Amino acid sequence: MEKLSARIQQMSKERHSTNSRVSQMLKAFFDQQADTEKRQAAANNLCILGRDNPAQLFEAGGVEVLVPVLGWKEPEYVLAAVRTLGGMCANNEERAKAIMVAVGFPGLQQQLTKDSEDLCIATGYFIMTMVCALTGLNRKEEKKVDMIRLNANIQAVGSIMKAIILTLTDTKLSGFGRDAVIDLILKLVPRTTGIDWIRRFFDEKGISALLKIGGCIQELTDLKITSDTRGHVALALNNIYMDLESDKERALFREQCENYTVTLLDKDDFDSKIQCVVALTTLLQGPFDVGNHIMGTKGMLEIMLVMAGSEEVLPQKIAVEAIIQASTKPDKSKAILELGMPILKKLFQSKDDHIKVRALAALCKTGSSGGTDAAGKAMADGSTVKLANYCLKYLKNPDKDMDLRKWAAEGLAYLTLDADVKEKLCEDTEAIQAIVELSKKADELGIYGIATIFVNLTNSYDKKEIMPELKELAKFSKQHVPEEAEKDQREYIQKRVDSLVKNNIISALVGLTKTQSMTTKELIARVFFTVTDSKEHRGVIVQQGAAKVLLPLTSECTDEGKVLAAHALARVAITTNPEIAFPGQRCCELVRPLLALLHPECEGLANFESLMAITNLLTVSESVRQRVLKEGGFAKIEHWCYEEHEMIKRSAVQCMLNLLQCEEVQKLFLTTETDRVKLMLLYCGEHEDDMELALAATAATAILSHEESGTQKIMQVKSWLDILKDIVVHDHSELQYRGLITLANVMEKDKEAATKVVEGELLETLIAISQLEDFLRIKAKKEAIRALAAAQKWELIKPAEAK
């Protein structure tokens, strides 16, 4: 029986071992006789194994058996193989090299020709993880390229990057595959967030390749593209341009863009001119300054106006889109609008909805040129509301196609700078619901327009405060002073925010975070920041999953957007149980963005709310407290303990109190030659001015006084006895209790300190407290008795005196 039992246990152990599970999964995956559901379950399990236990799968021969699957006809199994192989590449240089040799870039390129969005995205991720493993890049953890590793693998990385650039304009690629390749360029080429391939990208004519795709429209190209492709190109061009470090590099970028567009403009055929204007529109959606520079090219504006005045629908559509993008900055668009306005008004009367709605968006942009200035409206009162009504007709009609509704939303994005339009839109529940629904299906450019609408409705944009003295000076010198509309005051804004939250704006914002545009992500972060200003909305944010999507925004956004996203999270963490709002590992992930808000350059409100959020977060678990210490939180929190602003100082001391639960922090107070203990003791005496500060400081002092070194540091403060005397006689029961803990600890550990207490007035106070029957003072009574027992231990008083 013993042998049988041992054998059964061994078999069970083998069955549950990783190698056994790998073998079982592979067997089920390749079993042609098994039912589909079982094989699909095995495929899903392989993907998970490739992500969570890549080493075991690799050692079990997973690469050799999965590579042939890439040639199978069943797309679901090919997708599983690509995902599993990509997972095995992650964060391991040796595995990535082996897999690259086994698969080869042509094998991956073949997957990009298939008309499957999931497969193309997975293939793009596969290539991304391979390059990251070979270079040390880790975007999620914000780790930059390891130059030693990159130089060691420069030949392999170079061949991959060259193949990516050449693949851009491959006619065999599917539209989804092309989008995946553009996204790879967007992430890998920049030097700050990628592998610094900019110079090579210039040398290999990568800019021209992007512009060729950016100039494509489905009616006139042999390259397969999607409705999102031009948006991806605009983002890639913008990311590269914003990453350039010198005027020389920016000049080279402009030169390559100009050479490409001028070459097309100089060709005799009309299709080339259409392609030129489309490429220019894409540039204007990305690096606007470069597009605006090319707009000044001789003949460019003229050909746009000729196309707008054409009788054909396609040139009209393209020209109006270009006019809309070119008129982004009022100071640079005056000539365009003056020349194009008659044409726009004519096109607005078109019977073709696609022309009409684009002309409408252009007119909306013109009408919003005054911005939020109530006294600087470009149109007569009521005109913007009339234009908004036209936009809403398209937007609220579900029978209209996505393109029409997207352009209607674009028009509203401009018009919602007007306070009257904001109020009208927020009162129209059907319109808000239509925008929320549109957000679920919008492409990259549509997402930007919808995010802009939400920013305008909630007044989440930057607003400069003008000093009264400057206003008077401007009036005296007869300069125009911008005026705030009455409906843009706080009470109106709050009503609009309440209405939007009620109509599911949070779920819409969560969906919009899928964008790759850093600018759009900043807009989303701005709206979240405004919404979290009201405590009532923070619970909704957690319920609808916004806390989860805000965390990535703290690392993958513009600098301003990162701060706003972190600040929004801080507000959520203040009023919501962190274990509910940020379950599991998310509590630890929240530490870094919150600590970033403690930078001195951040606003005082951000410092204050971040400290409050960290205070709450420190109560979750020891692992969170250790993460705060690991991220350098102690020094950052301590810095604000010396702050002059009362509320920031108070929240910093409260935060430090929670951090004192860590032994390492207690040692920093007790074993180093600093005045940290002295500072806490001095803050104990601030109870007349700031009770909350004194309560936190007395609790910290009580903790530190349990160690003998702590009592010695307390006694080094000349006024220690006077401070404790004031606390012990205070009518605040909790303050008194904490002060008595410190006093009892000091008396237990030091005879000299006990002697000073007994010789003074405190002895009678301790005796009086020890005889209290007030239930609120029960804890204080116990500590007073302990203090008297210490005096008795040192034979400073007799038992009869203690009674």
Side-chain angles (χ1 to χ4, degrees):
M1 286 296 293
E2 288 180 1
K3 289 182 179 179
L4 182 60
S5 176
R7 178 61 181 159
I8 291 171
Q9 288 179 5
Q10 178 66 24
M11 289 173 66
S12 177
K13 187 176 179 181
E14 287 178 2
R15 191 179 299 115
H16 290 92
S17 69
T18 304
N19 289 339
S20 175
R21 282 189 288 127
V22 170
S23 300
Q24 289 172 12
M25 285 181 204
L26 290 172
K27 185 178 179 181
F29 182 69
F30 284 93
D31 186 358
Q32 301 286 343
Q33 305 302 318
D35 61 84
T36 304
E37 187 175 338
K38 187 175 180 181
R39 291 187 71 194
Q40 287 179 346
N44 292 333
N45 289 333
L46 278 174
C47 294
I48 295 168
L49 196 66
R51 182 191 65 201
D52 297 340
N53 294 296
Q56 286 85 348
L57 184 57
F58 183 80
E59 290 167 6
V63 176
E64 291 78 4
V65 297
L66 286 173
V67 168
V69 179
L70 299 180
W72 286 11
K73 293 182 180 180
E74 297 96 332
E76 63 273 21
Y77 301 131
V78 176
L79 176 61
V82 170
R83 285 175 173 168
T84 306
L85 290 166
M88 282 195 281
C89 281
N91 303 318
N92 189 284
E93 183 180 355
E94 296 307 317
R95 286 201 301 268
K97 285 180 181 177
I99 292 170
M100 183 177 71
V101 171
V103 177
F105 196 84
L108 294 174
Q109 194 174 7
Q110 180 62 33
Q111 307 309 320
L112 294 171
T113 63
K114 296 176 182 177
D115 197 25
S116 166
E117 185 175 10
D118 288 341
L119 181 57
C120 290
I121 290 173
T123 305
Y125 173 77
F126 186 168
I127 298 169
M128 183 76 186
T129 55
M130 193 185 297
V131 175
C132 287
L134 295 174
T135 59
L137 177 69
N138 191 321
R139 288 165 59 90
K140 186 176 181 180
E141 297 181 9
E142 297 184 21
K143 289 182 181 178
K144 294 193 174 183
V145 169
D146 180 349
M147 294 308 298
I148 296 174
R149 193 188 297 187
L150 173 59
N151 291 330
N153 298 308
I154 192 67
Q155 188 173 352
V157 174
S159 64
I160 293 172
M161 292 303 296
K162 188 170 184 178
I164 289 172
I165 297 168
L166 291 173
T167 304
L168 268 174
T169 53
D170 189 339
T171 55
K172 295 178 182 177
L173 244 62
S174 67
F176 296 123
R178 205 172 309 282
D179 288 351
V181 173
I182 296 167
D183 283 346
L184 283 171
I185 287 170
L186 184 151
K187 293 172 182 175
L188 292 174
V189 170
R191 54 171 62 91
T192 52
T193 57
I195 62 171
D196 189 6
W197 214 256
I198 283 179
R199 292 297 305 178
R200 294 177 179 87
F201 192 70
F202 283 156
D203 295 341
E204 292 168 10
K205 307 299 180 186
I207 300 296
S208 298
L210 282 176
L211 285 173
K212 181 176 180 180
I213 301 167
C216 289
I217 51 172
Q218 290 173 331
E219 294 89 339
L220 296 175
T221 182
D222 57 346
L223 296 179
K224 299 182 186 73
I225 58 174
T226 68
S227 58
D228 292 335
T229 301
R230 283 174 54 204
H232 286 281
V233 172
L235 279 174
L237 289 168
N238 190 61
N239 274 23
I240 293 168
Y241 184 71
M242 297 302 291
D243 196 64
L244 302 179
E245 292 182 339
S246 65
D247 291 341
K248 185 177 179 181
E249 285 184 340
R250 283 185 279 273
L252 181 59
F253 186 97
R254 281 195 300 270
E255 182 185 337
Q256 292 198 2
C257 292
E258 193 170 4
N259 289 343
Y260 181 81
T261 52
V262 169
T263 301
L264 288 174
L265 189 63
D266 289 342
K267 288 185 177 180
D268 294 332
D269 61 298
F270 198 60
D271 286 355
S272 295
K273 290 177 170 52
I274 288 177
Q275 190 178 357
C276 172
V277 175
V278 174
L280 175 61
T281 304
T282 304
L283 269 174
L284 289 165
Q285 291 166 341
F288 179 83
D289 291 339
V290 178
N292 193 64
H293 170 76
I294 294 171
M295 177 65 74
T297 304
K298 185 179 179 181
M300 188 67 74
L301 180 57
E302 288 77 5
I303 193 63
M304 283 170 52
L305 295 175
V306 168
M307 289 169 62
S310 168
E311 295 300 322
E312 295 182 29
V313 172
L314 182 61
Q316 286 178 346
K317 281 170 55 176
I318 291 166
V320 175
E321 287 181 25
I323 291 170
I324 292 170
Q325 297 303 328
S327 56
T328 296
K329 295 184 179 179
D331 58 328
K332 296 181 178 180
S333 62
K334 189 175 180 181
I336 298 169
L337 292 175
E338 284 179 355
L339 293 170
M341 187 57 72
I343 297 173
L344 290 175
K345 288 180 179 178
K346 178 187 172 184
L347 294 177
F348 183 57
Q349 305 301 323
S350 173
K351 293 180 181 179
D352 188 300
D353 275 345
H354 289 277
I355 300 298
K356 186 171 184 174
V357 76
R358 284 166 171 77
L360 173 61
L363 291 170
C364 291
K365 196 166 193 176
T366 307
S368 65
S369 59
T372 57
D373 182 7
K377 293 184 178 180
M379 290 185 172
D381 287 344
S383 297
T384 51
V385 176
K386 288 181 181 178
L387 287 173
N389 286 331
Y390 282 116
C391 292
L392 290 174
K393 285 181 182 178
Y394 284 102
L395 191 64
K396 294 195 291 186
N397 189 344
D399 296 330
K400 299 293 184 183
D401 65 40
M402 180 60 66
D403 184 63
L404 294 173
R405 293 161 69 196
K406 181 190 81 173
W407 280 103
E410 181 89 0
L412 282 175
Y414 305 125
L415 292 177
T416 44
L417 288 168
D418 185 282
D420 292 327
V421 176
K422 294 178 190 180
E423 285 297 307
K424 175 178 175 55
L425 191 55
C426 286
E427 290 169 1
D428 191 338
T429 303
E430 188 184 352
I432 298 299
Q433 290 294 336
I435 295 171
V436 170
E437 285 301 312
L438 183 63
S439 69
K440 299 174 183 177
K441 305 170 186 175
D443 59 16
E444 198 69 57
L445 299 176
I447 288 173
Y448 179 81
I450 293 167
T452 304
I453 291 173
F454 291 147
V455 166
N456 292 342
L457 292 177
T458 56
N459 283 45
S460 300
Y461 40 72
D462 282 329
K463 189 169 66 174
K464 294 180 180 178
E465 295 291 335
I466 304 174
M467 295 172 61
E469 295 84 356
L470 291 177
K471 285 185 179 180
E472 292 300 320
L473 185 61
K475 288 178 182 177
F476 179 76
S477 59
K478 296 183 179 180
Q479 296 293 318
H480 176 67
V481 180
E483 295 179 13
E484 184 181 53
E486 182 185 352
K487 293 178 181 178
D488 270 337
Q489 293 177 2
R490 185 169 180 80
E491 59 183 286
Y492 286 95
I493 297 170
Q494 190 57 54
K495 286 180 182 177
R496 292 201 293 266
V497 171
D498 293 343
S499 173
L500 289 168
V501 172
K502 189 177 179 181
N503 285 292
N504 296 321
I505 185 183
I506 303 301
S507 61
L509 289 169
V510 170
L512 292 178
T513 55
K514 65 187 178 183
T515 178
Q516 294 289 327
S517 168
M518 296 298 165
T519 306
T520 306
K521 286 181 179 181
E522 181 186 319
L523 296 179
I524 296 165
R526 285 181 179 279
V527 182
F528 276 129
F529 174 71
T530 302
V531 172
T532 52
D533 190 42
S534 294
K535 294 179 183 179
E536 297 78 18
H537 300 324
R538 295 173 191 174
V540 180
I541 279 181
V542 174
Q543 290 169 11
Q544 298 189 6
K548 181 180 178 181
V549 300
L550 271 169
L551 269 171
L553 289 182
T554 61
S555 58
E556 297 175 9
C557 198
T558 62
D559 291 341
E560 182 71 17
K562 289 176 184 177
V563 172
L564 291 167
H567 200 160
L569 285 168
R571 288 172 169 174
V572 172
I574 290 169
T575 55
T576 312
N577 183 348
E579 293 178 276
I580 296 173
F582 310 99
Q585 188 64 19
R586 282 187 212 147
C587 274
C588 290
E589 292 173 8
L590 184 58
V591 168
R592 185 179 293 176
L594 290 182
L595 289 175
L597 291 180
L598 297 183
H599 195 284
E601 290 186 4
C602 291
E603 292 183 357
L605 181 62
N607 303 146
F608 172 64
E609 294 190 322
S610 174
L611 285 165
M612 291 180 70
I614 296 169
T615 302
N616 207 9
L617 207 61
L618 288 169
T619 63
V620 173
S621 66
E622 180 63 20
S623 62
V624 174
R625 292 190 284 274
Q626 290 299 324
R627 183 64 174 266
V628 171
L629 293 177
K630 183 181 176 182
E631 297 288 345
F634 178 80
K636 292 177 181 178
I637 294 166
E638 185 185 29
H639 168 81
W640 294 108
C641 289
Y642 296 89
E643 172 64 24
E644 292 182 5
H645 193 287
E646 290 182 5
M647 295 175 72
I648 295 177
K649 177 171 65 178
R650 181 201 308 152
S651 58
V653 173
Q654 290 171 337
C655 193
M656 187 61 77
L657 169 61
N658 283 359
L659 202 55
L660 271 169
Q661 295 178 64
C662 299
E663 289 184 12
E664 300 97 312
V665 177
Q666 293 181 27
K667 288 178 182 178
L668 289 171
F669 271 82
L670 300 173
T671 60
T672 55
E673 293 299 322
T674 65
D675 291 332
R676 289 171 180 145
V677 176
K678 179 180 179 180
L679 179 70
M680 290 296 150
L681 186 60
L682 292 174
Y683 281 160
C684 292
E686 296 287 323
H687 49 79
E688 294 297 331
D689 299 320
D690 192 336
M691 179 56 72
E692 293 297 321
L693 172 66
L695 283 169
T698 50
T701 309
I703 292 170
L704 295 168
S705 65
H706 280 90
E707 298 294 331
E708 189 170 342
S709 55
T711 62
Q712 294 301 316
K713 285 184 177 289
I714 289 170
M715 290 172 60
Q716 289 171 10
V717 181
K718 291 181 180 180
S719 57
W720 73 271
L721 195 56
D722 293 332
I723 293 171
L724 289 179
K725 186 185 352 179
D726 287 345
I727 296 171
V728 167
V729 299
H730 204 281
D731 58 359
H732 194 292
S733 60
E734 189 62 28
L735 184 73
Q736 183 187 52
Y737 164 63
R738 295 177 185 185
L740 281 166
I741 292 175
T742 304
L743 184 63
N745 287 340
V746 171
M747 290 177 69
E748 280 183 344
K749 291 180 171 54
D750 193 279
K751 183 177 180 181
E752 182 184 346
T755 303
K756 288 183 179 180
V757 172
V758 170
E759 290 175 350
E761 301 172 1
L762 264 176
L763 178 60
E764 293 181 9
T765 305
L766 289 171
I767 293 171
I769 295 171
S770 69
Q771 295 173 356
L772 290 173
E773 297 300 329
D774 185 352
F775 77 95
L776 292 175
R777 310 279 174 172
I778 292 174
K779 294 190 295 183
K781 180 180 177 179
K782 288 181 179 179
E783 294 303 320
I785 293 170
R786 188 163 68 90
L788 290 170
Q792 190 177 331
K793 180 188 77 171
W794 297 115
E795 298 182 349
L796 300 174
I797 61 172
K798 296 178 181 179
E801 290 180 82
K803 293 179 183 178

